[in-house]
């Protein structure tokens, strides 16, 4: 490596992440499993098409897609009693073990002719039960092994790996389906999760991730912390609305391409490829946003994303719509990374896995619910009308959030210096609330609003 290139890499905000002793062990396994998930996006639906009876094919394809995601939200709600005290490496490792086992059973049963559509959907659901906790474990690890200033870059690295997988994975899955069928793709996906399980449960030393001194949290504390910190409850509501309103795009865009434009599947692929390429670039750029104010940037991204979706519903030329969709993809990873960073900075370390699992559960629910809404919207408004409503709704949600943020800032401006005679302890209340103590389960935590940037 040349000295100049080495200097550029070391000055990058990502260097502390990729050079960290623990993360160097984790990132390769995470990259492999992300590629497997990128491949599964195609294979899950394709195998459901093969297994389902022709008359009910659309219903079973929808059920298969929902089962692969929604059970994670159920696991986040019901398994806190058993998982809330577990180290983040165990949470991520156990999720990977369950995914490897359940997904691996699918090709085995298929080979022996014992896989029906009902069993297939059930195995997909089982595979995702721990996924919200697994994701929480990964992002908790980032928060605990890196200093606060590097959280955003760490989140961006994970998001970037996932974005690359969404570009490369479907193409690899298509090749494997041609030569071995969709069950072969799920066998490969299961193997990638086995690699991730070994990474977290074996390759990462037990003392590599610091644990908080106090971990006395109730099993519902994740949602309790979100409720008691106005900024986090507002952020979670913003995320839910954002992803929920994007959900109808998964129904409306394919129908818009096929029915309104009379175009081929290649045009639809161009939309998704542009979005994926934008997401990869957005992941690279995210780490350089650490000097920006996180809250205004997060809200601005929502407004910009909605505005970029509007050309799809306003009859813009296809080339313009594809470019706008790609630029919208550029904003997707920064929103995910910035919002996760706000959670990491605003939650006591002892409560972080539970709070991130609650956050993941709400996000897992929002997109499928929005997608389900897409059917009635397209039926009532047409695909163009549904796309227009989606874009306008996302932009309006961002505007409402911006107004709320502005009003909150005006109410919480620092008082004049004459009032600075208050005890120093009161001024530091926010810092005390963020300590990993049992008091954070009580009303003291409500003082964190908005999160420290």
């Amino acid at each position: 490596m040349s000295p100049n290139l080495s200097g550029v890499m070391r000055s990058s905000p990502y260097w502390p992440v990729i050079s960290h002793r623990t993360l160097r062990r984790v990132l390769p396994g995470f990259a492999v499993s992300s590629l497997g998930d990128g491949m599964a996006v195609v294979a899950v639906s394709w195998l459901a098409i093969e297994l389902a009876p022709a008359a009910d094919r659309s219903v079973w394809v929808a059920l298969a897609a929902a089962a692969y995601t929604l059970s994670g939200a159920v696991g986040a709600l019901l398994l806190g009693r058993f998982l809330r005290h577990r180290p983040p490496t165990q949470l991520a490792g156990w999720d990977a073990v369950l995914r490897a086992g359940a997904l691996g059973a699918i090709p085995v049963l298929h080979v022996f002719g014992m896989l029906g559509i009902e069993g297939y959907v059930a195995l997909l659901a089982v595979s995702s039960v721990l996924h919200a906790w697994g994701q929480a474990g990964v992002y908790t690890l980032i928060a605990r092994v890196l200093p606060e200033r590097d959280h955003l870059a760490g989140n961006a690295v994970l998001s970037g790996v996932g974005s690359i997988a969404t570009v490369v994975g479907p193409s690899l899955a298509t090749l494997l389906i041609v030569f071995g069928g969709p069950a072969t793709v799920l066998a490969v996906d299961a193997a990638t999760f086995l690699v991730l399980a070994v990474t977290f449960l074996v390759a990462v030393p037990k003392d590599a991730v610091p644990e908080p001194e106090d971990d006395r949290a109730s099993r519902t504390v994740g949602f309790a912390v979100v409720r008691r910190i106005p900024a986090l409850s507002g952020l979670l509501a913003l995320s839910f609305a954002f992803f929920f309103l994007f959900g109808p795009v998964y129904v409306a865009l394919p129908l818009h391409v096929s029915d309104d434009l009379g175009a081929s599947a290649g045009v639809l692929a161009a939309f998704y490829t542009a979005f994926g390429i934008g997401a990869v670039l957005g992941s690279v750029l995210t780490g350089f946003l650490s000097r920006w104010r996180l809250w205004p940037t997060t809200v601005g991204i929502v407004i910009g994303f909605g505005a970029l979706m509007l050309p799809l519903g306003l009859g813009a030329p296809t080339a313009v719509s594809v470019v706008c969709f790609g630029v919208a993809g550029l904003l997707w990873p920064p929103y995910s990374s910035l919002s996760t960073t706000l959670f990491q900075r605003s939650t006591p370390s002892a409560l972080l896995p539970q709070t991130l699992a609650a956050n993941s559960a709400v996000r897992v629910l929002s997109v499928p619910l929005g997608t389900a809404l897409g059917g009635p919207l397209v039926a009532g408004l047409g695909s163009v009308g549904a796309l227009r409503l989606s874009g306008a709704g996302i932009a309006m949600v961002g505007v409402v959030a911006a107004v709320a943020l502005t009003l909150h800032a005006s109410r919480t401006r620092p008082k004049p210096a004459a009032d600075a005679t208050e005890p120093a302890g009161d001024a530091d209340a926010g810092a005390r609330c963020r300590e990993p103590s049992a008091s954070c389960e009580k009303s003291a935590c409500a003082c964190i609003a908005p999160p420290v940037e």
Side-chain angles (χ1 to χ4, degrees), residues 33-125:
S33 69
S34 295
L35 181 60
D37 253 354
M39 297 165 63
V41 169
V42 176
V44 166
S45 297
W46 207 259
L47 185 55
I49 290 172
E50 290 188 359
L51 294 174
D56 302 321
R57 186 169 292 167
S58 61
V59 173
W60 283 109
V61 170
L63 286 174
Y68 196 54
T69 55
L70 288 179
S71 61
V74 177
L77 293 171
L78 300 181
L79 299 179
R81 177 195 301 272
F82 310 103
L83 300 176
R84 65 181 185 269
H85 298 301
R86 299 295 179 180
T89 50
Q90 280 191 359
L91 295 177
W94 290 355
D95 170 43
V97 168
L98 181 60
R99 287 210 141 193
L103 293 176
I106 291 172
V108 172
L109 293 174
H110 189 264
V111 166
F112 289 99
M114 300 171 60
L115 184 66
I117 186 63
E118 297 87 353
Y120 175 57
V121 171
L123 285 171
L124 289 175

Side-chain angles (χ1 to χ4, degrees), residues 306-395:
L308 287 164
M309 292 295 298
L310 284 175
L312 279 72
L314 293 175
T318 301
V320 174
S321 296
V322 169
V323 170
C324 288
F325 200 56
V327 179
L330 183 77
L331 299 179
W332 188 272
Y335 179 85
S336 179
S337 297
L338 287 166
S339 58
T340 300
T341 300
L342 287 170
F343 262 86
Q344 290 166 327
R345 293 186 179 183
S346 306
T347 307
S349 181
L351 309 180
L352 193 54
Q354 300 95 312
T355 307
L356 287 177
N359 178 43
S360 180
V362 171
R363 290 191 180 193
V364 164
L365 280 170
S366 57
V367 173
L369 289 177
T371 303
L373 178 65
L377 281 180
V378 171
L381 302 175
S383 56
V384 170
L387 288 169
R388 184 165 55 243
L389 181 62
S390 176
I394 292 172

Side-chain angles (χ1 to χ4, degrees), residues 196 261 302 310 321:
L196 186 64
L261 301 180
V302 176
L310 284 175
S321 296

Side-chain angles (χ1 to χ4, degrees), residues 76-77 79-81 83-85 133 214-229 232 236 343 346-359 437-443 445:
L77 293 171
L79 299 179
R81 177 195 301 272
L83 300 176
R84 65 181 185 269
H85 298 301
W133 287 98
D214 193 338
D215 192 14
R216 294 172 292 175
S218 69
R219 68 186 180 93
T220 58
V221 74
F223 287 99
V225 171
V226 171
R227 286 197 306 269
R228 292 168 184 169
I229 303 177
L232 290 188
L236 199 60
F343 262 86
S346 306
T347 307
S349 181
L351 309 180
L352 193 54
Q354 300 95 312
T355 307
L356 287 177
N359 178 43
S437 63
S439 65
C440 285
E441 295 185 51
K442 302 180 181 179
S443 59
C445 275

Side-chain angles (χ1 to χ4, degrees), residues 88 135-145 209 344 349 352-353 356:
Q135 291 293 99
V138 172
Y139 285 100
T140 298
L141 182 144
I142 290 288
R144 289 184 182 173
V145 303
V209 183
Q344 290 166 327
S349 181
L352 193 54
L356 287 177

